[in-house]
Amino acid sequence: FWPDLRYAGMYVGRISEILSSVDRDNAATYAENAAAVSAQLEEMDDAFVAALATIPDENRKMVVYHDSWSYFGRRYSIPVVGAIQPTDFSEPSAAELRDTIEQVRAAGVPAFFGSEVFPSDVLEVIEDESGATYVADLSDDVLPGEPGTPEHSYQGMMLANTRTIVEALGGEASALDSIVLTAS
C-alpha cells in the first residue's frame, strides 16, 4: 500500500495511536507530529496529481520492477501494465523475460522502471529488446539525502520517485517544486 500517499497517511495515524497508547506521557507530541506529517502528505498528494496530469495520455502507463507500484498507479490514474518481478526477488525465467519484453513493446511506454532492490542485467536486456528506456532510479528501500535531513524520509523518497516517473513518461514536474520537505 505504501506507494499511495493516502494509505501512508493512514499508517501515520495508526502509528501515532499505538505510540500514544504505550507512551501516554508523549501522546500530544505523537498527535502533533502525525498531524504535521499528514498535512505534508496531503500537500504532496495534490502536487503529485498536478504533476502526473502533465504526462501525455499515450504515456500514462507504467511497467515496473514490482507490482507494489499498482497502488501508485491506481491513485494517479497511471495503470501498471506490467511488473517485471511480481512476487519475489528471483530472476525472471526466459519465458517471463520474453513476455515482459512483449508487454513493454505492446504498451508503447517510453520508459520502464527498476529499483536499487532489483538490480539486474535482465532489465538492460528488456531495454535493448523493447526500445523503451530503463530508468533504474525508483526507490523503496534507500532513502535519498543524508541521514537527518528532511529529504532522507518517506516523503523525500516519494517526491524523488514521482519526479522520476513524471519526467521519464514525458511530463512536466514543476508542480513538485513547491514541496518543501520538513523533518518527519
Side-chain angles (χ1 to χ4, degrees):
F1 297 115
W2 66 267
D4 183 331
L5 296 182
R6 296 172 304 172
Y7 287 122
M10 288 186 238
Y11 293 155
V12 168
R14 186 68 181 126
I15 291 167
S16 174
E17 289 171 13
I18 291 169
L19 289 173
S20 294
S21 73
V22 297
D23 183 12
R24 295 184 196 283
D25 292 343
N26 291 303
T29 301
Y30 298 131
E32 182 181 306
N33 289 342
V37 170
S38 294
Q40 177 149 75
L41 292 174
E42 288 176 23
E43 175 190 13
M44 289 174 65
D45 187 61
D46 290 343
F48 287 14
V49 168
L52 291 158
T54 69
I55 296 170
D57 287 343
E58 65 272 14
N59 294 351
R60 294 186 68 76
K61 51 197 162 228
M62 292 175 54
V63 175
V64 294
Y65 64 95
H66 194 275
D67 59 2
S68 63
W69 283 94
S70 63
Y71 292 97
F72 182 91
R74 278 195 290 270
R75 169 66 187 118
Y76 300 110
S77 301
I78 303 176
V80 172
V81 297
I84 296 162
Q85 181 270 318
T87 57
D88 63 23
F89 289 101
S90 64
E91 293 286 323
S93 68
E96 291 169 326
L97 178 59
R98 184 184 66 246
D99 290 346
T100 300
I101 291 167
E102 290 305 316
Q103 277 184 317
V104 172
R105 283 182 185 154
V109 293
F112 67 97
F113 301 93
S115 166
E116 84 284 346
V117 298
F118 189 62
S120 173
D121 294 338
V122 169
L123 299 173
E124 292 172 12
V125 170
I126 295 169
E127 178 179 45
D128 291 342
E129 296 293 322
S130 71
T133 301
Y134 167 45
V135 178
D137 300 335
L138 290 191
S139 181
D140 54 10
D141 283 347
V142 178
L143 299 176
E146 295 298 317
T149 66
E151 292 78 19
H152 193 74
S153 63
Y154 168 79
Q155 296 95 307
M157 179 182 68
M158 288 307 296
L159 184 60
N161 284 338
T162 302
R163 185 176 303 281
T164 296
I165 291 167
V166 169
E167 291 172 353
L169 295 180
E172 168 38 56
S174 63
L176 305 176
D177 296 342
S178 65
I179 302 297
V180 177
L181 296 174
T182 56
S184 54

